[in-house]
């Protein structure tokens, strides 16, 4: 126990050790997953202080409830916890009025920057070459893309997405529908057969 | 496991935040299941400006982790297994009494308790002030439904403002439902039985005749609750009982409601054979509840 762990020690074994109260296993787990969780959170939340709090909450939660891990992919499990923590943080923020802008009114402009992605990133993207899906995604508005990401990539429910983005549930549903329609249209425009080559 | 691993350029651009959404999304999905790529991306992120934050948070997390296991360090394998099975928060457990109160409180909160008192009081008043001879049959007819209603009002989103918190605790589900049912019974059994004892009624069954039917209906509501949800189940059992007892008496043509009610009740709850039947039904319902105990973890879907 403790000390130097093998590099390829399985996540499941690590989580069992964490559940048994082994801080060294916690350290290993943190080093393996905290970095990508931080990057993923940063892409979804522009406030570095919130990202930091959520990351810390996530791992403290893992420390307390590793015993509840049911053997699914550890990475997916960690992200589930982190996404829930991020939603909670957004709600707390809204309650204390710290959230300066909500994306509700930026839909009409269609050019508003995504609150969860820095505008610098958008500028970088504009000069890059990427595949059809990327091009299609880039054509739909940041608000729609944000809804797609929360529901499709992060696997959140409509309700959770609404909390995360600070918009009503009805708006989430409308935007998800529109995002799919626009994505389909954009793909059809790029190539007659959207199932063409890999992106 | 496809054997695919993220190329270095992809990882570097993800770490510095310059990767377009479509590529970032597929990498993020991959990281959820690929430990080795997760480790590589985390290493790359540590090398960026986020490295200091990551190191700070690491210290904070390990500081939060360190003291608890120092005290509760597993002495042997059995302790370790127990610790793994019960992910208790490292802080000291709260006192027993407030926890019990918290568990029981919604059971006796709100309109239910006044309703029980109202039933008891009006029965006593009817008998002694208005001289209504059918007071005890009426009380016995209503009494079995009282705990059933209490159960419906004691668990779930509609009954308990703390429900979301309660539902996420290890004691949620059947354990909490049973705790609250026990509180409901502890309040309603003595009150209703005492009231029945002070009511004069020569023809009606004894004051304690309602106890077994009441218990059976409560257990039936719990058992049905596993399928229908507590509220629907209590409406079915409580409503069913009221219909069975009151409808024939009220529908009687000669208007002697009290006497018919008395007869009806004698048929339903009087006599050893009938009470034996109720007891058997209660045992059956209890068995059903025990057999389907996991269903109560998902009561909120209803």
């Amino acid at each position: 126990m403790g000390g130097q762990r093998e590099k390829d020690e399985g996540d499941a074994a690590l989580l069992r050790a964490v559940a048994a109260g082994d801080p060294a296993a916690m350290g290993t787990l943190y080093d393996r997953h905290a970095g990508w969780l931080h990057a993923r959170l940063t892409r979804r939340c522009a406030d570095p202080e919130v990202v930091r709090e959520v990351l810390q909450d996530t791992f403290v939660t893992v420390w307390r409830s590793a015993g509840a891990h049911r053997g699914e992919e550890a990475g997916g499990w960690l992200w589930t916890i982190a996404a829930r923590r991020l939603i909670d943080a957004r709600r707390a923020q809204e309650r204390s009025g710290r959230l300066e802008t909500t994306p509700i009114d930026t839909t009409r402009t269609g050019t508003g920057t995504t609150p969860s992605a820095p505008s610098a990133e958008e500028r970088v993207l504009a000069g890059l070459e990427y595949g059809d899906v990327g091009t299609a995604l880039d054509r739909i508005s940041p608000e729609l893309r944000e809804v797609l990401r929360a529901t499709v990539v992060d696997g959140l429910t409509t309700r959770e997405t609404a909390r995360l983005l600070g918009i009503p549930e009805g708006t989430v549903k409308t935007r998800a529908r529109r995002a799919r329609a626009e994505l389909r249209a954009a793909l059809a425009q790029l190539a007659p057969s959207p199932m063409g080559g890999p992106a | 496991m496809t054997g695919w691993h993220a190329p270095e350029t992809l990882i570097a651009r993800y770490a510095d935040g310059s990767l377009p959404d479509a590529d970032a999304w597929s990498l993020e999905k991959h990281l959820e299941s690929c430990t080795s790529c997760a480790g590589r991306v985390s290493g790359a992120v540590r090398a960026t400006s986020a490295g200091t934050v990551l190191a700070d948070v690491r210290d904070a997390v390990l500081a939060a982790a360190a003291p608890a296991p120092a005290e509760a360090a597993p002495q042997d394998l059995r302790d370790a297994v127990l610790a793994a099975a019960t992910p208790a928060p490292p802080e000291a457990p709260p006192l027993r009494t407030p926890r019990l109160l918290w568990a029981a409180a919604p059971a006796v909160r709100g309109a239910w308790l006044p309703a029980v008192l109202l039933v008891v009081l009006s029965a006593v008043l009817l008998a002694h002030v208005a001289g209504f001879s059918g007071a005890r049959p009426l009380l016995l007819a209503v009494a079995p439904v009282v705990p059933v209603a209490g159960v419906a009002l004691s668990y779930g989103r509609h009954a308990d403002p703390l429900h979301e918190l309660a539902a996420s605790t290890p004691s949620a589900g059947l354990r909490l439902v049973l705790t609250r049912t026990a509180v409901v019974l502890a309040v309603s059994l003595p009150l209703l039985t005492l009231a029945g004892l002070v009511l004069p009624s020569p023809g009606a069954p004894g004051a304690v005749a309602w106890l077994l039917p009441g218990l059976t209906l409560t257990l039936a509501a719990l058992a049905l609750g596993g399928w229908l949800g507590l509220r629907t189940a209590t409406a079915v059992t409580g409503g069913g009982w009221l219909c069975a007892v009151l409808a024939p008496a009220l529908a009687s043509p000669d208007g002697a409601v009290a006497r018919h009610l008395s007869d009806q009740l004698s048929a339903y709850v009087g006599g050893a054979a009938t009470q034996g039947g109720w007891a058997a039904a209660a045992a059956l319902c209890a068995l059903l509840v025990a057999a389907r105990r996991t269903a109560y973890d998902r009561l909120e879907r209803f």
Side-chain angles (χ1 to χ4, degrees):
Chain A
M1 279 267 162
Q4 194 58 45
R5 290 177 174 280
E6 278 182 46
K7 189 132 178 64
D8 58 347
E9 185 165 6
D11 282 329
L14 272 181
L15 279 169
R16 274 196 300 277
V18 169
D22 179 358
M26 190 67 205
T28 311
L29 190 74
Y30 182 90
D31 290 338
R32 186 178 294 167
H33 293 288
W36 72 266
L37 285 171
H38 185 274
R40 192 164 174 178
L41 287 167
T42 302
R43 291 184 73 101
R44 282 151 183 77
C45 173
D47 186 340
E49 201 44 49
V50 173
V51 170
R52 181 204 166 101
E53 277 170 26
V54 168
L55 189 68
Q56 186 168 330
D57 280 359
T58 302
F59 278 95
V60 171
T61 305
V62 168
W63 171 251
R64 288 196 184 143
S65 54
H69 178 248
R70 292 280 170 262
E72 66 265 42
E73 296 292 356
W77 188 65
L78 286 170
W79 173 251
T80 309
I81 297 174
R84 300 284 184 282
R85 297 280 133 219
L86 183 61
I87 292 166
D88 292 347
R90 284 294 171 98
R91 281 169 88 194
Q93 223 180 10
E94 257 166 60
R95 216 169 290 130
S96 68
R98 275 209 291 144
L99 199 69
E100 58 291 16
T101 52
T102 55
I104 297 171
D105 291 322
T106 52
T107 325
R108 271 173 281 107
T109 69
T111 53
T113 52
T114 323
S116 60
S119 60
E121 185 191 318
E122 299 289 327
R123 283 199 297 276
V124 173
L125 294 191
L128 294 172
E129 276 187 24
Y130 34 85
D132 285 354
V133 176
T135 316
L137 264 182
D138 199 41
R139 288 193 184 175
I140 69 176
S141 76
E143 289 77 20
L144 300 189
R145 224 184 308 163
E146 196 172 57
V147 168
L148 267 192
R149 178 170 66 187
T151 54
V152 178
V153 185
D154 295 344
L156 303 180
T157 64
T158 304
R159 191 170 176 190
E160 288 166 337
T161 305
R163 282 177 182 169
L164 177 70
L165 303 179
I167 54 180
E169 285 182 45
T171 313
V172 171
K173 286 181 195 156
T174 321
R175 287 188 188 177
R177 244 194 326 271
R178 260 180 49 206
R180 276 198 299 273
E182 287 191 18
L183 202 54
R184 215 176 296 128
L187 282 170
Q189 211 182 352
L190 286 166
S193 124
M195 301 308 286
Chain B
M1 287 292 128
T2 54
W4 181 85
H5 289 295
E8 286 303 328
T9 50
L10 193 73
I11 288 180
R13 286 171 63 203
Y14 184 72
D16 68 18
S18 68
L19 196 64
D21 273 346
D23 297 336
W25 293 0
S26 48
L27 179 62
E28 282 165 351
K29 273 290 161 209
H30 176 66
L31 293 181
E32 287 182 8
S33 58
C34 179
T35 300
S36 80
C37 285
R40 286 162 66 216
V41 172
S42 290
V45 174
R46 267 200 302 279
T48 67
S49 57
T52 48
V53 174
L54 281 168
D56 286 353
V57 173
R58 188 184 201 276
D59 291 344
V61 168
L62 289 182
E71 295 159 13
Q75 296 304 313
D76 54 28
L77 189 61
R78 194 171 152 273
D79 281 355
V81 171
L82 282 179
T86 52
E91 57 261 27
L95 290 174
R96 199 77 200 166
T97 318
R99 246 169 69 181
L100 190 64
L101 277 181
W102 166 81
V108 288
R109 195 179 48 85
W112 181 77
L113 192 55
V116 178
L117 293 173
L118 188 72
V119 166
V120 167
L121 263 183
S122 29
V124 173
L125 283 180
L126 264 179
H128 290 281
V129 179
F132 177 56
S133 63
R136 192 197 281 177
L138 202 57
L139 179 75
L140 290 184
V142 175
V145 178
V146 169
V148 174
V151 169
L153 293 174
S154 70
Y155 190 84
R157 196 179 301 287
H158 53 280
D160 185 354
L162 285 176
H163 181 76
E164 288 201 17
L165 280 179
S168 64
T169 62
S171 61
L174 185 60
R175 201 167 124 194
L176 200 53
V177 176
L178 286 181
T179 310
R180 291 185 176 169
T181 305
V183 173
V184 162
L185 290 174
V187 172
S188 52
L189 291 192
L191 266 177
L192 291 167
T193 308
L194 277 179
L197 283 176
V198 302
L199 296 180
S201 180
V208 292
W210 78 278
L211 287 178
L212 268 175
L215 185 67
T216 309
L217 287 182
T218 308
L219 285 170
L222 285 184
L224 268 182
W227 281 282
L228 304 176
L230 271 184
R231 268 209 293 191
T232 318
T234 47
V236 168
T237 47
W241 165 261
L242 283 181
C243 285
V245 174
L246 294 180
L250 290 176
S252 62
D254 55 359
V257 174
R259 194 171 51 77
H260 281 285
L261 197 56
S262 207
D263 294 347
Q264 207 69 43
L265 275 173
S266 300
Y268 286 157
V269 304
T274 331
Q275 290 283 336
W278 283 107
L284 186 69
C285 292
L287 278 179
L288 263 182
V289 170
R292 286 183 41 82
R293 57 192 172 280
T294 51
Y296 298 87
D297 300 339
R298 307 187 305 270
L299 277 182
E300 273 325 291
R301 285 222 309 251
F302 302 108

